[in-house]
């Protein structure tokens, strides 16, 4: 295997840390070329000390100056940059062989799109890229010959369960349905009336996965699964009616594919993101990820339930915007990011997240996803309206 230079977008987040752990285990195969973070410069500096990347990127000039000075004192040759322009450049430059797209939220859209347009191996952990601009992004992947490998555990499982030539069309491959599994989060069995008083700490306590606070809240509302439904639509060219969410509390079956002959092919494993990360980094080969094999005797049972769309209103909203098309998914994603941030700051009750999302969708008209500027414009408009509704407390 030729040694690959990896740009890690979001290196201080949970996916980024797991990616660096895989790199650490295979120093002859992978090199951290650029490490990019938002503002956690202490953690980023420690990563620079260990992995010696050519570049490090942070949010703004002030943080970049602090990090650059610390790197200089430590004798590191790492060049420190800042801003979106640096992210775009280091995701698309000729020296980067692959990009781990793990920046959470809309902030990851431009650098990930740049990587696709540069024909890179794009390891996609940022679902918002496809939620906001699925048509544009997939067009860029096809037009520029990029290799797109899903890192979300569910989409990675679907990718592994589909035939290698699934791009010729799912019906032609005998696929009847994509079964997208969901843990149901921490509130699957909590009385609906009790959810109004849920705290951020409770919402972030996922029963199976260790994740960042934003994605943990999205899992608790099942917005995360709704975004994954939209992501699956674009990754696998699957109509919404072909994508079924299955609540599976154990998080052992990461997703499955149902075929016309009655077969169901699934990928199983422990809930550890290093498995799909290592798969994406090494594909079509396989490498050790540091994850223990699954012990079926210890699992003993696997349970499955239909999702409750009343309890998880955000999941229904995701299906609604997928049917609406255009910039509707971008509007929902933007409103949700604002809503979750407000909830985490104590400005919004837990059930208010779905209510705010629905109000923004009802108030704004979706337009066509004609260009990146159309998508970003819809994103900005939705954020402004969501913030205004929170200030005025004028949502249902």
């Amino acid at each position: 295997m030729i040694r690959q230079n990896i740009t890690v977008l979001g290196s201080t987040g949970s996916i980024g840390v797991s990616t660096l752990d895989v790199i650490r285990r295979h120093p002859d195969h992978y090199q951290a070329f650029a490490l990019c973070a938002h503002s956690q410069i202490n953690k980023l500096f420690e990563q620079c000390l260990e992995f010696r990347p050519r570049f490090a990127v942070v949010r703004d000039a002030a943080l970049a100056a602090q990090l650059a000075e610390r790197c200089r004192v430590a004798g590191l040759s790492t060049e420190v940059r800042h801003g979106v322009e640096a992210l775009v450049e280091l995701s698309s430059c000729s020296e980067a062989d692959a990009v781990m797209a793990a920046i959470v939220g809309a902030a990851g859209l431009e650098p990930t799109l740049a990587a696709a347009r540069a024909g890179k191996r794009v390891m996609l952990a940022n679902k918002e890229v496809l939620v906001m601009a699925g048509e544009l992004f997939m067009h860029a992947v096809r037009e520029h010959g990029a290799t797109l490998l899903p890192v979300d555990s569910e989409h990675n499982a679907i990718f592994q369960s589909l035939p290698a030539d699934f791009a010729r069309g799912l019906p032609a491959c005998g696929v009847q349905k994509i079964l997208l599994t969901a843990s149901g989060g921490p509130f699957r069995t909590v009385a609906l009336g009790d959810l109004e008083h849920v705290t951020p700490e409770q919402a972030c306590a996922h029963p199976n996965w260790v994740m960042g606070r934003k994605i943990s809240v999205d899992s608790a509302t099942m917005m995360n699964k709704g975004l994954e439904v939209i992501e699956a639509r674009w990754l696998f060219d699957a109509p919404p009616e072909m994508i079924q969410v299955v609540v599976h509390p154990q998080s052992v079956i990461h997703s499955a594919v149902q075929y016309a002959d009655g077969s169901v092919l699934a990928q199983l494993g422990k809930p550890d993101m290093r498995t799909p990360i290592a798969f994406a980094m090494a594909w079509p080969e396989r490498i050790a990820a540091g994850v223990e094999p699954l012990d079926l005797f210890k699992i003993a049972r696997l349970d499955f339930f239909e999702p409750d769309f009343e309890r998880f209103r955000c999941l229904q909203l995701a299906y609604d915007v997928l049917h609406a098309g255009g910039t509707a998914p971008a509007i929902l994603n933007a409103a949700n990011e604002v809503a979750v941030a407000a909830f985490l700051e104590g400005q919004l009750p837990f059930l208010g997240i779905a209510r705010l999302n629905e109000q923004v969708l009802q108030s704004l008209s979706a337009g066509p996803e004609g260009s990146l500027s159309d998508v970003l414009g819809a994103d900005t408009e939705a954020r402004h309206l969501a913030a205004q509704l929170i200030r005025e407390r004028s949502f249902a």
Side-chain angles (χ1 to χ4, degrees):
M1 183 184 293
I2 300 174
R3 197 176 194 218
Q4 297 181 41
N5 281 331
I6 311 290
T7 290
V8 184
L9 303 175
S11 69
T12 58
S14 60
I15 297 295
V17 169
S18 293
T19 301
L20 290 176
D21 184 66
V22 176
I23 291 175
R24 181 186 295 118
R25 294 170 186 276
H26 301 277
D28 294 337
H29 294 161
Y30 307 104
Q31 165 67 38
F33 172 69
L35 300 181
C36 311
H38 185 252
S39 58
Q40 294 190 60
I41 62 170
N42 290 335
K43 194 169 184 179
L44 182 56
F45 174 66
E46 293 298 324
Q47 291 176 343
C48 289
L49 280 177
E50 179 179 359
F51 294 95
R52 306 289 172 125
R54 284 272 305 280
F55 299 95
V57 182
V58 291
R59 176 189 65 203
D60 57 42
L63 290 173
Q66 294 178 40
L67 181 61
E69 176 61 17
R70 295 178 68 176
C71 288
R72 185 192 66 79
V73 171
L76 298 178
S77 60
T78 300
E79 180 180 335
V80 180
R81 297 186 181 181
H82 70 275
V84 175
E85 295 80 5
L87 293 177
V88 169
E89 180 181 347
L90 295 174
S91 298
S92 57
C93 70
S94 60
E95 293 173 273
D97 298 305
V99 175
M100 173 57 73
I103 294 177
V104 175
L109 175 57
E110 291 186 70
T112 308
L113 186 57
R117 288 172 172 167
K120 302 296 182 185
R121 172 185 287 242
V122 180
M123 300 174 286
L124 188 64
N126 177 311
K127 59 180 62 63
E128 290 83 0
V129 168
L130 287 172
V131 170
M132 294 178 66
E135 186 174 0
L136 288 171
F137 185 75
M138 295 306 297
H139 176 74
V141 168
R142 291 189 296 268
E143 183 179 11
H144 298 281
T147 300
L148 180 60
L149 296 163
V151 171
D152 266 353
S153 62
E154 296 82 357
H155 302 89
N156 187 271
I158 295 164
F159 184 90
Q160 294 191 52
S161 302
L162 285 170
D165 62 345
F166 72 85
R168 65 190 175 96
L170 297 186
C173 296
V175 174
Q176 286 190 330
K177 194 172 292 185
I178 287 173
L179 304 175
L180 192 68
T181 58
S183 71
F187 307 132
R188 182 177 60 84
T189 59
V190 174
L192 191 58
D194 294 337
L195 294 181
E196 191 70 36
H197 308 292
V198 162
T199 67
E201 289 68 29
Q202 291 172 320
C204 291
H206 195 280
N208 299 334
W209 297 93
V210 177
M211 304 180 292
R213 287 170 68 79
K214 195 271 181 182
I215 193 172
S216 294
V217 174
D218 281 348
S219 179
T221 64
M222 282 193 75
M223 174 59 84
N224 189 52
K225 200 55 50 179
L227 299 180
E228 289 176 4
V229 169
I230 301 172
E231 186 180 6
R233 179 266 174 273
W234 292 109
L235 279 172
F236 309 114
D237 194 21
E241 57 273 14
M242 190 180 277
I243 306 168
Q244 180 178 350
V245 174
V246 179
V247 177
H248 168 50
Q250 290 90 355
S251 295
V252 170
I253 295 178
H254 297 302
S255 276
V257 176
Q258 178 180 309
Y259 286 88
D261 62 3
S263 299
V264 175
L265 301 187
Q267 186 264 335
L268 286 71
K270 288 196 171 184
D272 190 317
M273 286 305 299
R274 290 177 297 176
T275 295
I277 288 169
F279 177 89
M281 289 175 64
W283 183 85
E285 301 177 25
R286 300 251 183 187
I287 58 173
V291 181
E292 292 183 7
L294 190 64
D295 188 335
L296 294 175
F297 298 110
K298 288 183 179 179
I299 295 169
R301 59 178 287 176
L302 300 173
D303 298 308
F304 307 95
F305 306 93
E306 292 186 15
D308 182 343
F309 286 93
E310 180 184 0
R311 173 186 296 273
F312 299 115
R313 179 62 185 156
C314 286
L315 179 58
Q316 181 61 60
L317 293 176
Y319 273 102
D320 292 344
V321 299
L322 187 52
H323 283 288
T327 59
I331 291 171
L332 175 60
N333 179 72
N336 185 68
E337 287 191 16
V338 174
V340 171
F343 166 70
L344 290 172
E345 293 168 5
Q347 300 174 2
L348 197 67
F350 180 73
L351 294 181
I353 295 172
R355 294 197 293 267
L356 180 65
N357 290 340
E358 190 162 13
Q359 182 65 46
V360 171
L361 284 171
Q362 291 174 350
S363 301
L364 297 179
S365 298
E369 186 193 308
S371 67
L372 182 58
S373 62
D374 293 331
V375 172
L376 295 177
D379 176 87
T380 299
E381 186 179 16
R383 289 175 190 277
H384 287 166
L385 178 57
Q388 178 185 336
L389 292 173
I390 291 170
R391 288 193 303 269
E392 299 173 352
R393 311 297 295 179
S394 57
F395 55 94

